[in-house]
Amino acid sequence: MDYVLDRLQVMEDRLNQIDSQLSEITDFNQAKKLNQERANLDEPVSLFREYKKADSDLQEAKIMASDSDLELSELGRNEVIRLEKLKEELYDKIQVSLLPKDANDSKNVIMEIRGAVGGDEGNIFAGDLYRMYLKYADKVGWKVKLLDETPTSLGGFSNVSIMIQGKGVYSRLKFESGAHRVQRVPITEKSGRLQTSTATVLVMPETKQEDVVINPSDLEVDTYRSQGAGGQNVNKTESAVRITHKPSGIVVTCQIERSQIQNREIAMGMLRAKLKAKMDEEQNAKIGQERKLKVGTGERSEKIRTYNYPQNRCTDHRIGYTVNNLDRIMDGDLDDLLNALQAEYQKDLILQAGKQNND
């Protein structure tokens, strides 16, 4: 039995022990603690039991395959093929279930999209990415709340920040942080010349007040009148808020709400998320450079993805993923791309775990 299956047998024994204890225990706090431990064991142990059942069935199928009855033998061989494939699939699922859980995966996110290289075209592309994520959120049933925006006259954004709420949002979007490159003929280009521009995306897990301690004396708070293209977001009072965190130099703004108090509360939430992301980035940098995918900030200079409009092509450079359905991706059809990123990340973690076990 290899290390993974050996570990699972220990986990199954522990789960059986917990079930026995829970049937007799009367202390509520102790029962709560045991149920929490059981919840962590349930998925891998359930898969392990399926794996053992498939292995047992496989042994029986091999005996059937060697039967002198030709019809029974053929049935056995077909079962052997099916069950060997099933065992491989279950083993892969087991490895994933044993991976360390990211405490942020179940959290909502704050996403910030900024136009970067390319002037107006970079801002227009930031708007395109913003709408792409809105469409995806709508497809999967997530809620989106606008936190801050600086729209441009050509329909883009120099900056737009949103809160995305729903099940497993961070687990799906955490690898979207980075520089996104677009190659196309901009609407601002009269000669029809292909141009390369970029926008940056920053995805941060929503952070509670107790998770990041901020000293009020470290803050510089300014208020000003909301500005924009017009409409309800513009008013004549100084309701917009700009907060500068002096030690880190991080600046956040919010002018969406009419109330200065509400804007300040939203801005503080954004600041906490940015400070936590900065701390996580510094911690993740210690992991090493061997992983293709890292959860970092959106302000890295290297591009993570290219959107090539003339060829209808989208390429994620971190994992070598290329598809020729850019039109569908920009329409919010992101599942295949996000699944590929998650699968590659899980493969990296499994490889790292294997190296540690062999050391």
Side-chain angles (χ1 to χ4, degrees), residues 34-275:
L34 287 173
N35 274 313
Q36 289 174 340
E37 184 181 356
R38 192 188 191 287
N40 293 329
L41 295 171
D42 187 56
E43 182 186 3
V45 170
S46 295
L47 290 169
F48 180 50
R49 287 169 175 168
E50 289 184 51
Y51 180 89
K52 290 195 294 183
K53 175 66 166 56
D55 184 63
S56 175
D57 292 345
L58 176 61
Q59 304 314 313
E60 294 181 9
K62 287 180 177 178
I63 295 173
M64 188 188 303
S66 61
D67 197 278
S68 57
D69 185 297
L70 294 180
E71 186 175 343
L72 196 62
S73 176
E74 183 179 1
L75 180 63
R77 287 195 297 272
N78 289 335
E79 273 295 279
V80 167
I81 294 171
R82 183 185 72 83
L83 289 166
E84 285 180 340
K85 182 179 179 182
L86 176 60
K87 276 187 64 178
E88 290 179 5
E89 292 173 351
L90 287 170
Y91 191 85
D92 290 342
K93 288 181 179 180
I94 284 169
Q95 287 187 302
V96 171
S97 75
L98 292 174
L99 294 176
K101 300 296 188 289
D102 187 334
N104 292 322
D105 275 352
S106 61
K107 293 183 178 180
N108 302 323
V109 307
I110 292 175
M111 175 182 282
E112 179 183 270
I113 307 171
R114 290 178 175 272
V117 177
D120 287 335
E121 170 62 2
N123 293 335
I124 292 170
F125 182 53
D128 293 337
L129 291 176
Y130 168 55
R131 286 179 282 273
M132 176 186 78
Y133 291 120
L134 288 185
K135 290 176 181 178
Y136 180 68
D138 184 61
K139 287 177 187 289
V140 297
W142 293 339
K143 294 181 179 179
V144 178
K145 179 181 179 180
L146 182 64
L147 301 181
D148 192 34
E149 63 174 351
T150 307
T152 62
S153 59
L154 295 175
F157 295 88
S158 61
N159 169 60
V160 58
S161 298
I162 54 177
M163 167 82 77
I164 307 178
Q165 300 171 306
K167 184 178 180 180
V169 178
Y170 186 74
S171 68
R172 294 296 282 165
L173 297 180
K174 62 184 175 182
F175 299 118
E176 292 302 288
S177 291
H180 295 240
R181 181 175 72 170
V182 62
Q183 294 175 325
R184 64 186 178 188
V185 178
I187 59 172
T188 56
E189 179 59 55
K190 296 181 180 179
S191 65
R193 181 175 58 88
L194 188 71
Q195 181 175 318
T196 298
S197 304
T198 62
T200 60
V201 175
L202 173 58
V203 177
M204 303 164 286
E206 185 181 16
T207 305
K208 295 180 180 179
Q209 189 168 349
E210 58 268 23
D211 294 335
V212 178
V213 178
I214 300 176
N215 189 336
S217 64
D218 289 337
L219 303 179
E220 181 179 315
V221 181
D222 300 308
T223 59
Y224 57 98
R225 292 183 182 181
S226 297
Q227 299 174 351
Q232 293 182 347
N233 287 339
V234 180
N235 58 53
K236 298 179 181 180
T237 62
E238 292 194 346
S239 60
V241 173
R242 179 190 301 108
I243 300 177
T244 303
H245 184 253
K246 290 181 283 188
S248 66
I250 293 174
V251 179
V252 293
T253 62
C254 184
Q255 58 178 339
I256 295 302
E257 303 294 342
R258 288 191 173 273
S259 163
Q260 185 184 117
I261 294 175
Q262 289 177 304
N263 282 331
R264 177 170 178 144
E265 183 179 345
I266 292 171
M268 285 299 295
M270 295 167 68
L271 177 60
R272 285 195 299 271
K274 282 201 167 190
L275 286 171

Side-chain angles (χ1 to χ4, degrees), residues 298-314:
E299 298 174 16
R300 300 195 303 263
S301 60
E302 69 270 18
K303 63 183 181 296
I304 64 167
R305 193 174 300 149
T306 294
Y307 304 73
N308 185 295
Y309 275 72
Q311 298 179 22
N312 197 34
R313 186 182 72 233
C314 180

